Amino acid sequence: MNKNNKTIGIDARFYGPVGKGLGRYTQEVVDNLLKVDHENNYVIFLCKENFDTFKTENPKVKKVLADVRWYSFKEQILMPLYIWREKIDLMHFHHFNIPIFCPTRFVVTIHDLILIKFPSLRATKLSPWLYKIKNIAYRLVLNIAVARSKKIIAVSEFTRKDILDNFKIAASKVHVTLEGVSKNLLSVQNIDTEKVLEKYKINKPFILYVGNAYPHKNLEWLMDVYYRKILDKGINLVLVGKEDYFYARLNDLKLKNAEKEKRGFSVIFPGYVPDEDLQILFKSALSYVFPSKYEGFGIPPLEAMANNCPVISSNKASMPEVLGEAALYFDPESEEDLLSSIEKIAFSDDFRNSMILKGQKQVNKYSWTTCALKTKEILENSF
């Protein structure tokens, strides 16, 4: 490594599918940052699951195995040692879970304030007392991250305002870097559409959701409305996400409604779907539906737009900012609002095509390269 330049450390343990939505952000920021920055040295901290996945041609990059589970006590003890050992000048944490004894200055990305806005026992498998203790610890770490960071990166103006409304810090400390759409989801490939759909046991027509199943995503409500009002329209509901505790809970809801699914239409759980197949699902769906009650940014709706899939979205939080006039909005607590939006898309080809065109224009406003360049500028101004 060139010792004339600064050494920037990045906590990339979320990198790739292992980190779900945070993994997408981490992967794109890291990959694009290393393509645009040929001056600074980088140390990329990775976990065992993604250590071999991460590859770069940048000669100023060092990979370090930091196989420590995030949100753990061990993380608080070992990460400062790893950072100190590598003589890091500046750390970039892509989530609020900073080590409170971080031995160097740092920048933190805050995606949202779910922790404050939606504290819920439904978001954990812990007992009430353990959850309360862990929630207090999370809030402590978040407060320290906000107070001690040199700069804070917010992923939308909505999140920036949320941060400033909830913490007593200077507005000049918080900077916005908008996210983008992965090129892996834009590649033109000779893929057999019917074979992909058959692989995941998906029949047309279907509406699609991609993402995790945390309670604020509002998927239980979506499924409830589906079984009572949407299934009768002859439409399947496909919920794409890695199998976990939250998706298992949704599957329990599916089992409770098994009798209704005998009509030939159902809720389908394909599990984790890689990007090359995911673009086929986007292109084949009637629409993408996003019923979330709270989002700091929301990448999947943009990924849908990039693949000519019209978007039906909640009108809450950052979604109107991010999606502009290119989405059909509904109140995520109004069944009739959701049903009306789906019917507009499902039964009018002209309207659906107009939404696809709006989506194509909207998605062009976002770029991971632009995000990386702005991130580089923020990092360099934080030494």
Side-chain angles (χ1 to χ4, degrees):
M1 284 188 174
N2 185 344
K3 297 298 182 182
N4 294 327
N5 296 107
K6 298 291 187 180
T7 298
I8 298 172
I10 298 180
D11 183 359
R13 287 174 296 150
F14 284 107
Y15 186 98
V18 66
K20 301 181 181 179
L22 278 170
R24 176 77 79 187
Y25 170 85
T26 300
Q27 182 170 353
E28 292 294 345
V29 169
V30 169
D31 288 353
N32 284 278
L33 187 58
L34 298 183
K35 287 176 184 175
V36 300
D37 189 353
H38 303 287
E39 300 162 3
N40 296 296
N41 302 312
Y42 282 90
V43 175
I44 310 299
F45 296 95
L46 300 149
C47 63
K48 187 163 57 177
E49 288 89 344
N50 56 26
F51 190 84
D52 293 330
T53 304
F54 170 75
K55 299 182 188 328
T56 181
E57 296 179 0
N58 189 324
K60 296 183 178 182
V61 175
K62 178 181 179 181
K63 295 196 325 184
V64 171
L65 180 63
D67 196 31
V68 184
R69 190 69 188 168
W70 46 78
Y71 311 130
S72 67
F73 180 73
K74 195 175 178 182
E75 169 185 67
Q76 293 295 325
I77 300 300
L78 293 182
M79 283 305 293
L81 294 175
Y82 293 143
I83 294 165
W84 172 80
R85 187 179 64 190
E86 297 301 327
K87 298 180 172 58
I88 304 297
D89 296 307
L90 177 76
M91 276 295 297
H92 182 191
F93 296 102
H94 286 190
H95 194 36
F96 75 86
N97 61 316
I98 59 110
I100 59 178
F101 298 112
C102 182
T104 188
R105 61 183 64 198
F106 63 88
V107 170
V108 63
T109 296
I110 295 179
H111 298 263
D112 54 54
L113 296 182
I114 290 287
L115 191 67
I116 294 172
K117 301 287 185 176
F118 284 87
S120 171
L121 278 169
R122 289 184 59 73
T124 181
K125 294 182 281 186
L126 299 175
S127 68
W129 278 106
L130 280 176
Y131 173 74
K132 188 172 183 179
I133 292 168
K134 197 161 189 176
N135 189 259
I136 291 170
Y138 281 171
R139 286 172 179 260
L140 173 64
V141 172
L142 175 60
N143 276 275
I144 291 172
V146 170
R148 294 186 186 171
S149 58
K150 298 301 292 183
K151 287 184 174 23
I152 297 169
I153 293 176
V155 296
S156 63
E157 290 293 343
F158 171 83
T159 295
R160 181 177 187 271
K161 184 178 184 301
D162 235 2
I163 293 169
L164 294 175
D165 286 346
N166 285 274
F167 298 95
K168 294 180 180 179
I169 56 173
S172 59
K173 184 174 181 175
V174 189
H175 304 261
V176 176
T177 63
L178 299 174
E179 301 180 0
V181 175
S182 172
K183 290 181 179 177
N184 292 341
L185 283 162
L186 300 175
S187 56
V188 178
Q189 301 180 34
N190 294 321
I191 300 176
D192 187 326
T193 298
E194 295 308 316
K195 188 175 288 187
V196 170
L197 295 180
E198 184 180 337
K199 174 181 175 182
Y200 297 104
K201 298 180 173 58
I202 297 172
N203 296 315
K204 295 181 180 180
F206 65 93
I207 51 177
L208 174 70
Y209 168 85
V210 178
N212 63 54
Y214 298 145
H216 70 275
K217 298 293 186 179
N218 208 21
L219 297 185
E220 289 186 21
W221 175 81
L222 174 62
M223 285 181 65
D224 182 54
V225 179
Y226 173 78
Y227 282 119
R228 288 190 293 103
K229 297 188 175 181
I230 301 171
L231 183 145
D232 287 337
K233 305 294 180 182
I235 299 171
N236 288 302
L237 172 61
V238 178
L239 304 177
V240 174
K242 186 177 179 181
E243 294 179 21
D244 60 10
Y245 166 73
F246 301 102
Y247 266 105
R249 197 157 64 190
L250 294 182
N251 194 55
D252 288 341
L253 188 58
K254 172 184 167 74
L255 293 175
K256 288 177 184 177
N257 288 275
E259 290 297 318
K260 297 177 182 177
E261 293 199 343
K262 289 182 178 178
R263 299 173 193 174
F265 297 95
S266 64
V267 177
I268 301 164
F269 297 105
Y272 168 73
V273 176
D275 287 346
E276 61 268 22
D277 289 348
L278 188 56
Q279 61 180 310
I280 295 299
L281 267 56
F282 279 131
K283 293 178 192 299
S284 303
L286 194 61
S287 72
Y288 178 86
V289 61
F290 201 53
S292 180
K293 291 184 176 181
Y294 183 89
E295 292 293 323
F297 186 83
I299 295 175
L302 289 178
E303 294 176 337
M305 289 179 178
N307 284 283
N308 296 334
C309 182
V311 172
I312 299 170
S313 173
S314 157
N315 60 6
K316 301 296 183 182
S318 66
M319 301 324 300
E321 173 195 341
V322 174
L323 304 178
E325 297 180 1
L328 184 60
Y329 295 102
F330 65 92
D331 180 344
E333 295 178 352
S334 169
E335 297 180 5
E336 293 305 320
D337 212 5
L338 172 61
L339 185 61
S340 173
S341 297
I342 290 173
E343 287 176 337
K344 283 181 183 177
I345 292 285
F347 304 124
S348 173
D349 288 341
D350 288 342
F351 182 76
R352 184 173 182 276
N353 289 333
S354 72
M355 294 304 297
I356 289 173
L357 290 174
K358 287 180 180 179
Q360 290 172 344
K361 292 179 181 178
Q362 185 69 12
V363 81
N364 286 332
K365 297 177 182 178
Y366 300 97
S367 161
W368 281 118
T369 300
T370 302
C371 177
L373 287 168
K374 192 156 188 182
T375 301
K376 176 178 181 287
E377 180 184 343
I378 293 167
L379 294 176
E380 290 181 336
N381 288 332
S382 301
F383 289 121

